[in-house]
Amino acid sequence: MTALVTTPARKPLRGTVTVPGDKSITHRALILGALAEGITQISGYSRGTDCLHTLEAIRACGIVIEEKNHQCVEIQGKGLQGWTEPCGVIDCGNSGTGIRLLSGVLAGQNFFSVLTGDASLRSRPMGRVVAPLREMGATIFGRKGGAFAPLAIQGAQLRGRAHVSPVASAQVKSAILLAGLLAQGTTRVTEPAKSRDHTERMMKFFGITLDIMDCTVALVGQQSFTGTAITVPGDLSAAAFFLVAASIVPESELSLPGVGINPHRIGIVEILQEMGAKIELHRVREESGEPVADLVVRSAPLHGVRIGGQQIPKTIDELPILCVAAAAAEGETEISGAEELRVKETDRIRAMVSELKKMGASIEEKPDGLRIQGGNPLQGARCDSYGDHRVAMSLAVAGLVAQAPVMITDVECIETSFPEFSDKLLELLTISQ
Ligand code: S3P
């Protein structure tokens, strides 16, 4: 169990930070590339272990993927029905996106497969994808009637149908759309609020026809499509740690080039700006169907805000780091309607409340979120990541404004999304000091 210690930043954070390729987009590029006919090249992909598990899962299904270098992979796609039966159990590691999206694809193949993951993933809800896939004709078994992995899938010819998802979840929507691509007829999915639309954007980029209206997406199954070249933008969820770090460490200024600014992910920027943060978006452009910009952040005094409703799906992964911004801000911040945080890599509400409390923050748990009275100086402490990468990195950033070093235990999990995180943070602290 390795630990990370962050020391109080004594000088401003200045310079340029390049963040890894977007994790969500990388999963989709790998899966759709493997379902396409012919070669797909993916540059700037995420080498976090979450995406590497998806890459290995696809290889286990007989698809050749060549890592050209640390920047680019080449997939020899074999079309919608070209995957072959894996001879072992597929390990999705810690990745909810990996297991849920792959379930959608494997449900529509003509072979048997088993998907599992680490202890955290095996405790996360799978019924939300298993139930709609079964309605399309899939045969899936899992623990507790299919509520938890391991999932054993006997692929079948699926039939398209209309689904209404009770949660705004891009993983659920994407699993259904991927199954719909293999199904006969039309598949439709409606969600209560619009979740990130990377699957829709990438399907369109591959030339797949989709019908999108507000919170409903429909597609006709069995559309074949050809491989293409994809450039993955930098991950805004990784950039978020530096957006907050530079905002709260006085006199900082950081540039973050080439970061994805998908409108359904941009909550972190909008909320930080509402809190008083100085964040600028430069050279807004489009790459492989996704909006991208160069971000510049300068430190600024922050104040508390209310976060809830439609802001939640577009900020879902950034709520832990927003707790840190709120602890450093003046006044009260309240997060509501965020019960989904309880079924992430860990219960992120409980984790952030207990660990920020150890640092002296005035923070209170609510069933659907939390309340933070900002402005209490944070203390040095020994904190636990709960094996959750975003909790670990958020606490590391909190350590920059604490009065003594903060030690975070169990930080191997950072590898799942941002393997270079501690090096980049250390480099900034060293250059800056
Ligand atoms: C993701 C969707 C979100 C997010 C996760 C990545 C995706 O989960 O929290 O980190 O890539 O589709 P839900 O779809 O369950 O909300």
Side-chain angles (χ1 to χ4, degrees):
M1 207 203 293
T2 45
L4 173 65
V5 179
T6 44
T7 49
R10 301 197 193 288
K11 295 219 176 120
L13 305 178
R14 288 176 180 270
T16 299
V17 181
T18 49
V19 293
D22 189 280
K23 183 157 79 77
S24 289
I25 297 174
T26 301
H27 283 293
R28 287 151 172 89
L30 291 167
I31 292 173
L32 285 169
L35 290 170
E37 306 274 355
I39 305 283
T40 288
Q41 280 188 335
I42 310 173
S43 23
Y45 70 108
S46 163
R47 291 193 48 79
T49 53
D50 270 11
C51 293
L52 296 183
H53 275 104
T54 292
L55 186 151
E56 289 304 333
I58 295 168
R59 274 188 177 147
C61 294
I63 303 297
V64 174
I65 306 181
E66 216 184 310
E67 288 174 79
K68 292 284 179 194
N69 52 51
H70 272 212
Q71 289 297 311
C72 180
V73 281
E74 191 174 278
I75 307 180
Q76 295 176 25
K78 285 197 187 161
L80 292 176
Q81 295 294 339
W83 296 25
T84 51
E85 185 169 272
C87 53
V89 170
I90 291 177
D91 178 10
C92 297
N94 190 239
S95 178
T97 308
I99 196 167
R100 294 191 177 111
L101 270 56
L102 286 168
S103 303
V105 176
L106 294 172
Q109 298 296 326
N110 63 353
F111 55 73
F112 174 77
S113 56
V114 182
L115 296 168
T116 191
D118 65 13
S120 154
L121 191 59
R122 281 182 274 117
S123 71
R124 295 182 63 190
M126 292 300 141
R128 51 179 61 191
V129 291
V130 168
L133 293 174
R134 281 180 177 158
E135 286 170 16
M136 295 174 79
T139 303
I140 306 179
F141 294 96
R143 285 166 46 236
K144 306 258 186 266
F148 298 104
L151 300 177
I153 303 176
Q154 178 54 60
Q157 177 57 65
L158 304 178
R159 295 173 303 278
R161 79 182 285 290
H163 302 270
V164 178
S165 173
V167 274
S169 161
Q171 294 178 357
V172 171
K173 174 177 62 179
S174 304
I176 294 171
L177 289 175
L178 287 164
L181 201 51
L182 300 160
Q184 284 172 342
T186 301
T187 296
R188 196 179 305 278
V189 51
T190 301
E191 34 181 6
K194 185 89 181 165
S195 63
R196 62 188 69 188
D197 64 352
H198 301 307
T199 301
E200 297 92 304
R201 284 174 184 265
M202 192 162 293
M203 282 185 167
K204 278 192 183 163
F205 191 68
F206 270 101
I208 299 166
T209 305
L210 293 172
D211 198 6
I212 304 173
M213 256 211 12
D214 303 326
C215 294
T216 299
V217 186
L219 94 174
V220 174
Q222 302 181 341
Q223 300 182 47
S224 63
F225 54 100
T226 45
T228 186
I230 295 168
T231 304
V232 179
D235 199 328
L236 180 56
S237 298
F241 301 105
F242 292 96
L243 292 178
V244 172
S247 294
I248 62 179
V249 174
E251 289 171 50
S252 297
E253 177 171 337
L254 289 181
S255 298
L256 298 143
V259 180
I261 50 161
N262 182 296
H264 305 291
R265 296 274 297 278
I266 198 75
I268 177 72
V269 173
E270 293 170 350
I271 292 169
L272 282 174
Q273 284 173 334
E274 194 188 330
M275 294 175 83
K278 289 190 193 147
I279 302 174
E280 291 168 9
L281 276 57
H282 297 282
R283 276 199 336 118
V284 176
R285 56 207 186 262
E286 195 169 289
E287 276 173 12
S288 310
E290 289 280 349
V292 178
D294 299 336
L295 309 186
V296 176
V297 52
R298 296 183 181 86
S299 55
L302 303 183
H303 56 81
V305 286
R306 300 207 170 278
I307 305 170
Q310 302 284 329
Q311 289 173 308
I312 298 297
K314 51 164 134 163
T315 320
I316 191 72
D317 290 342
E318 286 64 68
L319 293 170
I321 188 64
L322 272 172
C323 292
V324 174
E330 279 305 318
E332 188 179 272
T333 293
E334 185 168 2
I335 302 177
S336 309
E339 43 281 277
E340 272 293 298
L341 286 184
R342 297 209 181 267
V343 291
K344 293 296 176 189
E345 285 81 331
T346 189
D347 176 342
R348 287 182 173 158
I349 296 177
R350 206 186 66 175
M352 291 310 294
V353 168
S354 91
E355 301 316 288
L356 283 177
K357 241 184 205 161
K358 288 182 188 166
M359 297 174 67
S362 166
I363 180 165
E364 192 190 316
E365 183 169 349
K366 303 192 306 163
D368 65 337
L370 41 85
R371 201 172 291 113
I372 304 175
Q373 198 59 50
N376 273 7
L378 296 177
Q379 311 299 323
R382 185 190 158 105
C383 296
D384 184 11
S385 74
Y386 289 70
D388 183 314
H389 56 133
R390 301 202 199 282
V391 172
M393 290 185 274
S394 299
L395 296 171
V397 171
L400 300 178
V401 291
Q403 293 185 329
V406 170
M407 174 191 270
I408 306 127
T409 56
D410 197 7
V411 294
E412 294 88 345
C413 51
I414 293 176
E415 297 282 316
T416 61
S417 67
F418 199 165
E420 317 82 6
F421 171 77
S422 37
D423 287 348
K424 299 225 176 220
L425 193 61
L426 200 68
E427 197 182 304
L428 278 182
L429 287 168
T430 334
I431 294 172
S432 305
Q433 284 178 11

